[in-house]
Amino acid sequence: MIYEQLGAYIKKNIEISAHDLSIVHSYFKKTEKAKYTVLLSEGQTSPFSFFVGKGCLRIFFINKEGKDVTRYIAFENQLATGLSSFISKLPSAEYIEVIEKAELLYISHDAFNHLMQTVPQWQVFYQLYLEKAYVNTNNRLMSFTTTDATERYAPLLKINPALVKRIPNKIVVSYITISQETLSRLKWKSIQSSSK
């Protein structure tokens, strides 16, 4: 099932033959990880890219004040990696943590690069992935400087309600950089407005 999920995710982004897709599948390995398992720690080189079949991962870093800041949350049918370290092969400034018991596929850096050389459509897929990652990062940075807490929370609830419902409040607040108190107030307002 999880390989079918990966195939659907890839075909949603690019056109790829069944033969080439089977080659891609052969480089991904299956694993299961328990809740709170750390897949990557700060200072380690990111050796893998993960595809989430079931569960949830988060990518975060520790800021100068010692607080964790969530950069990305990956639910089912999404990829997650410490991208800067994965590309550069330098030590990561980020952590990857399992926040719901997860069924994953993973691919090593070397296997990923081998696919780039042997399956031309994989290069196309990777370019699109990098472009989307850049746009998402840019949009998040802009939202932090141009919007207040309410404006950051409302689209999150609309676009990705699973994020708010499935993960702990402390991770939500670290993702949209608001306080626990503000999140509680916004959640209460949302409940009140939906009950009218």
Side-chain angles (χ1 to χ4, degrees):
M1 175 63 182
I2 192 170
Y3 283 96
E4 286 81 358
Q5 287 176 258
L6 175 62
Y9 174 76
I10 292 169
K11 289 190 284 188
K12 185 178 177 182
N13 289 278
I14 60 166
E15 290 185 12
I16 188 169
S17 69
H19 176 263
D20 284 351
L21 186 58
S22 69
I23 294 173
V24 171
H25 280 168
S26 71
Y27 283 90
F28 278 85
K29 308 303 178 191
K30 188 176 178 182
T31 188
E32 294 185 6
K33 296 295 181 183
K35 189 175 183 178
Y36 302 127
T37 300
V38 176
L39 303 175
L40 176 70
S41 293
E42 180 183 9
Q44 294 180 328
T45 301
S46 180
F48 302 115
S49 184
F50 299 95
F51 175 79
V52 183
K54 185 177 180 181
C56 185
L57 308 180
R58 76 163 175 146
I59 300 173
F60 69 98
F61 61 92
I62 308 296
N63 68 16
K64 291 179 180 179
E65 289 76 40
K67 295 181 179 179
D68 63 300
V69 178
T70 301
R71 178 178 67 79
Y72 183 68
I73 298 173
F75 291 103
E76 289 84 1
N77 305 310
Q78 292 182 313
L79 287 171
T81 188
L83 192 57
S84 295
S85 177
F86 188 77
I87 292 170
S88 68
K89 299 186 87 170
L90 295 173
S92 176
E94 299 179 313
Y95 296 80
I96 302 178
E97 179 188 31
V98 178
I99 54 176
E100 286 181 353
K101 182 180 177 183
E103 294 176 9
L104 308 168
L105 293 175
Y106 66 94
I107 184 170
S108 72
H109 184 274
D110 290 343
F112 196 99
N113 282 340
H114 183 72
L115 276 179
M116 296 264 284
Q117 297 166 14
T118 56
V119 179
Q121 280 303 96
W122 189 249
Q123 292 183 26
V124 177
F125 174 81
Y126 185 47
Q127 181 179 340
L128 289 171
Y129 174 75
L130 290 176
E131 288 173 358
K132 287 180 180 179
Y134 173 79
V135 169
N136 288 339
T137 299
N138 193 53
N139 287 343
R140 273 178 56 75
L141 286 173
M142 286 185 66
S143 76
F144 293 149
T145 58
T146 60
T147 61
D148 63 19
T150 304
E151 291 170 316
R152 288 199 295 275
Y153 179 74
L156 183 67
L157 191 60
K158 183 177 180 181
I159 296 167
N160 198 350
L163 193 151
V164 178
K165 292 176 183 176
R166 284 173 59 177
I167 65 175
N169 283 352
K170 66 178 184 178
I171 295 177
V172 176
V173 301
S174 79
Y175 184 68
I176 57 176
T177 62
I178 62 173
S179 68
Q180 289 269 12
E181 295 76 14
T182 300
L183 178 63
S184 296
R185 190 175 69 251
L186 291 172
K187 278 190 167 186
W188 175 251
K189 282 184 179 179
S190 176
I191 292 168
Q192 291 299 308
S193 62
S194 64
S195 64
K196 289 180 181 178

